[in-house]
């Protein structure tokens, strides 16, 4: 799936402003960003629930028409979990999931799916009397029961307890390994670190970064550190052991790759001391995704 | 057609809902007994009290199921996001609304059978041409369901609730239903036959009281409301 130059306006206010990103086939893509960043609006545009947007949305090999709802053939291949409801309050979980399954050609077993998500499939409690986390599990089952090739999950882990989140993580990983492409939005960096292959960071409707999770936070052999903008790195490069590369990963933030030799850490420590950075700015191994996202979002005007 | 699958789902939820059963079966049957067996309401019913009560109550039940209940349920499903979600499944928007209309028609027909059965039990004998009542029944359901959808897609769920109930009561009293149009005072008597309620009541009276083939006039009025409401709904229906 790919989105380019997407603009969605509600009235005069643009909720999404020239957003561009890819969600690679067969991977889990996480869209993260603060409240009101435009995550849900982006999902709604992708699944045909808002119209009148401009730009280009391509999924499963065809471009979406902004003036029409998604065509039937595409709806059968795309699963959707909405943030704002989508449930029949008087229905029971299993009968609702079974009904939606009956709309699909080759669905999963509704009872087994609910069970996998940690909800007793034999419960006769109407959905309106389930807890928020239980309703969340039903919504997730509705999105996935049709064995979609591409699933959009808007805040799938909101309100879930720890067991529920882990069950969800296991299910998403299994689906991804079976070839399903998944696009999810979340506020929990733990979800992203455990699940995502690809990350899109947005704020105020603009894309700040889109790339592989490893590119965003670095790998185990990385050392990240702060310094002045566009610093002259030549002296530091000369001091580092062979095989160690440095890039400015974001403005004022540098990353050394291939830096598993502790001598690299010592060279970097000396360099940051000369440039007035604090030792707490040095992070060995993967950076905290939360710090990276806060840093990116914080740079927004 | 997935619309049939959806109609089955909707009918299942409708028939399990206590409030809905009250509106669909208990109130029409109670109203029939009240109108037919007591001297409660209008002298206008004359010697045909029982037959005219049947025509009146069937009009009430179509108004209640196809317009009021449908509009309110659709309004709240819009708010709960159920409509948005189903629009993303293979069901889609057209089959979703068609399925709801079919379920409404099925439930209204059941309600009609309950009313006719009760009427027969208290001594009503249908006139020879009474089977023609199927025509106003189906046209009336389609027309009022279109009005219900048009209303449900236009405003917030709470407003739909208020307007659908208010319109129901006003049509019942002043729309040529309980009080026949020709017994209404002043300009109301002139307006009522042009309303879907008055047109449907007139057509039911022709078929169930007089036992004649329904005349074109009221049916054309119902079809005009059907097209108007369908056009309005197509232009203004909002899914969330």
């Amino acid at each position: 799936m790919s989105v380019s130059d997407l603009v969605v306006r509600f009235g005069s206010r643009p909720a999404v402003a020239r957003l561009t990103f890819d969600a690679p086939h067969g991977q889990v893509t996480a869209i993260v960003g603060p409240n009101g960043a435009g995550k849900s609006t982006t999902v709604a545009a992708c699944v045909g629930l808002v119209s009148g947007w401009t730009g280009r949305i391509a999924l499963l090999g065809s471009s979406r028409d902004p003036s029409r709802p998604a065509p039937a053939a595409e709806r059968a291949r795309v699963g959707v979990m909405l943030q704002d409801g989508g449930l029949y309050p008087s229905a029971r979980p299993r009968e609702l999931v079974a009904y939606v399954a009956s709309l699909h050609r080759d669905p999963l077993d509704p009872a087994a799916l609910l069970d996998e998500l940690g909800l007793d499939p034999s419960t006769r409690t109407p959905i309106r009397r389930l807890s928020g986390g239980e309703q969340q599990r039903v919504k997730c089952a509705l999105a996935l029961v049709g064995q979609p090739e591409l699933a959009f999950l808007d805040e799938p882990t909101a309100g879930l307890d720890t067991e529920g989140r882990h069950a969800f993580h296991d299910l998403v990983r299994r689906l991804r390994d079976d070839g399903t492409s998944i696009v999810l939005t979340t506020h929990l960096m733990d979800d992203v670190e455990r699940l995502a292959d690809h990350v899109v960071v947005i704020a105020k409707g603009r894309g700040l970064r889109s790339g592989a999770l490893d590119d965003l936070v670095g790998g185990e052999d990385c050392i990240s550190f702060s310094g002045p903008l566009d610093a002259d790195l030549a002296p530091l490069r000369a001091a580092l052991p062979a095989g160690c590369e440095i890039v400015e990963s974001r403005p004022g933030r540098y990353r050394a790759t291939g830096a598993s030799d502790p001598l690299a850490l010592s060279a970097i420590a000396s360099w940051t001391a000369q440039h007035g950075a604090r030792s707490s700015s040095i992070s060995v191994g993967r950076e905290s995704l939360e710090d990276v996202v806060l840093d990116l979002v914080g740079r927004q005007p | 057609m997935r619309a049939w699958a959806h109609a089955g789902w909707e009918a299942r939820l409708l028939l399990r809902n206590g409030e809905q059963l009250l509106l669909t079966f208990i109130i029409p049957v109670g109203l029939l007994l009240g109108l037919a067996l007591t001297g409660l309401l209008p002298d206008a019913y004359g010697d045909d009290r029982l037959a005219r009560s049947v025509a009146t109550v069937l009009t009430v039940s179509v108004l209640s199921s196809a317009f009021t209940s449908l509009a309110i349920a659709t309004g709240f499903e819009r708010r709960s996001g159920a409509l948005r979600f189903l629009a993303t499944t293979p069901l889609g928007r057209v089959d979703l609304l068609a399925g709801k209309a079919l379920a409404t028609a099925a439930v209204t027909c059941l309600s009609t059978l309950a009313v006719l059965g009760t009427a027969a039990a208290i001594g009503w004998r249908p006139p020879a041409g009474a089977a023609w009542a199927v025509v106003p029944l189906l046209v009336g359901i389609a027309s009022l369901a279109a009005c219900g959808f048009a209303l449900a897609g236009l405003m917030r769920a709470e407003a739909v609730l208020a307007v659908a109930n208010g319109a129901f009561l006003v049509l019942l009293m002043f729309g040529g239903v309980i009080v026949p149009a020709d017994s209404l005072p002043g300009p109301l008597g002139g307006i009522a036959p042009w309303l879907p309620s008055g047109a449907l009541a007139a057509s039911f009276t022709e078929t169930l009281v007089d036992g004649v083939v329904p005349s074109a006039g009221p049916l054309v009025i119902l079809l005009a409301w059907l097209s108007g409401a369908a056009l309005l709904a197509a232009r203004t229906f909002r899914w969330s």
Side-chain angles (χ1 to χ4, degrees):
Chain A
M1 193 206 56
S2 75
V3 166
S4 45
D5 284 328
L6 179 66
V7 178
V8 187
R9 287 176 187 284
F10 293 132
S12 60
R13 188 179 70 91
V16 177
R18 299 187 71 82
L19 177 64
T20 297
F21 68 91
D22 288 325
H25 181 77
Q27 295 195 4
V28 177
T29 299
I31 304 178
V32 299
N35 292 328
K39 304 185 293 294
S40 294
T41 305
T42 302
V43 168
C46 290
V47 301
L49 284 174
V50 295
S51 53
W53 45 267
T54 59
R56 184 165 181 275
I57 297 174
L59 42 90
L60 300 172
S62 59
S63 282
R64 169 56 52 73
D65 179 343
S67 62
R68 293 170 179 282
E74 194 180 287
R75 293 196 307 267
R77 298 164 67 199
V78 177
V80 181
M81 173 176 178
L82 299 173
Q83 193 185 346
D84 50 352
L87 298 171
Y88 279 83
S90 66
R92 296 173 190 122
R94 184 174 173 174
E95 67 176 354
L96 179 57
V97 178
Y99 168 57
V100 171
S102 76
L103 298 170
H104 288 275
R105 194 169 294 148
D106 183 24
L108 297 170
D109 176 47
L113 180 59
L114 283 171
D115 192 47
E116 190 169 355
L117 282 164
L119 189 67
D120 176 9
S122 65
T123 181
R124 296 183 59 78
T125 312
I127 287 169
R128 90 169 76 80
R129 282 200 247 119
L130 297 177
S131 73
E134 289 169 326
Q135 295 188 358
Q136 202 68 358
R137 289 166 165 89
V138 179
K139 279 160 59 180
C140 186
L142 291 177
L144 299 173
V145 73
Q147 299 222 53
E149 292 168 48
L150 170 62
F152 288 93
L153 310 175
D154 196 1
E155 303 271 358
T157 55
L160 286 189
D161 55 22
T162 310
E163 287 83 6
R165 274 192 25 249
H166 286 197
F168 171 77
H169 291 165
D170 290 343
L171 177 61
V172 166
R173 269 188 225 109
R174 181 170 70 75
L175 292 172
R176 189 250 329 263
D177 294 345
D178 289 348
T180 310
S181 309
I182 291 169
V183 177
L184 56 86
T185 71
T186 183
H187 287 286
L188 291 179
M189 294 306 140
D190 180 60
D191 287 344
V192 184
E193 282 166 337
R194 284 169 186 267
L195 283 182
D197 306 297
H198 196 83
V199 182
V200 180
V201 184
I202 68 178
K204 295 182 181 168
R206 289 167 204 280
L208 303 181
R209 184 65 75 93
S210 166
L213 177 64
D214 287 346
D215 289 343
L216 206 59
V217 298
E220 293 305 332
D221 67 345
C222 289
I223 299 175
S224 303
F225 52 98
S226 298
L229 290 173
D230 295 322
D232 176 17
L233 296 168
L236 176 56
R237 285 204 175 96
L240 283 170
C244 189
E245 290 296 326
I246 302 186
V247 290
E248 188 169 1
S249 57
R250 359 183 243 285
R253 190 76 182 157
Y254 299 87
R255 179 176 296 148
T257 52
S260 43
D261 184 340
L263 288 175
L265 181 57
S266 125
I268 288 167
S270 317
W271 186 85
T272 51
Q274 289 158 23
H275 289 83
R278 295 166 159 273
S279 48
S280 62
S281 81
I282 302 175
S283 121
V284 179
R286 286 168 169 251
E287 273 192 279
S288 142
L289 180 64
E290 188 142 321
D291 291 344
V292 174
V293 170
L294 282 174
D295 190 28
L296 284 169
V297 171
R299 288 175 190 284
Q300 273 290 98
Chain B
M1 262 280 268
R2 292 200 166 91
W4 292 100
H6 190 65
W9 167 253
E10 291 271 344
R12 175 177 175 166
L13 290 183
L14 281 176
L15 294 174
R16 216 168 54 196
N17 178 332
E19 190 186 343
Q20 186 66 42
L21 293 179
L22 185 75
L23 280 169
T24 308
F25 297 106
I26 312 292
I27 288 181
V29 167
L31 189 63
L32 175 67
L33 296 176
L35 284 177
L37 300 182
T38 69
L40 204 63
L41 261 170
D43 301 335
Y45 283 22
D47 298 335
D48 291 325
R49 169 169 290 279
L50 181 52
R52 298 198 75 140
S53 300
V54 172
T56 297
V57 171
L58 287 189
T59 311
V60 173
S61 106
V62 173
L63 265 176
S64 151
S65 305
F67 174 69
T68 311
S69 297
L70 180 69
I72 293 171
T74 308
F76 278 93
E77 281 162 20
R78 236 182 77 209
R79 189 174 73 172
S80 78
L83 293 189
R84 261 162 76 85
F85 169 71
L86 281 179
T88 70
T89 68
L91 181 67
R93 301 181 177 198
V94 174
D95 283 345
L96 169 56
L97 294 188
K100 291 185 81 69
L102 284 170
T104 296
V107 169
T108 312
C109 289
L110 287 179
S111 162
T112 302
L113 289 178
V115 169
L116 294 180
T118 310
I122 58 173
W124 178 59
R125 294 295 167 264
W132 282 105
V134 171
V135 178
L137 177 67
L138 295 181
V139 175
I141 291 172
S143 177
L144 285 157
C147 294
F149 281 137
L151 175 63
L154 209 54
M155 42 186 101
R156 286 186 305 122
E158 292 79 4
V160 173
L161 179 74
V163 172
N165 278 320
F168 177 66
L169 288 175
V170 169
L171 290 176
L172 226 57
M173 300 313 298
F174 307 113
V177 182
I178 292 194
V179 183
D182 48 20
S183 306
L184 283 170
L188 287 175
I191 299 170
W194 296 93
L195 299 175
S197 52
L200 182 59
S203 204
F204 273 143
T205 304
E206 287 175 335
T207 50
L208 294 171
V209 179
D210 307 331
V212 298
V213 179
S215 56
L219 294 175
V220 169
I221 291 173
L222 286 170
L223 290 172
W225 280 93
L226 168 61
S227 356
L231 274 179
L232 180 67
R235 281 170 171 272
T236 61
F237 198 93
R238 285 177 305 174
W239 294 81
S240 57

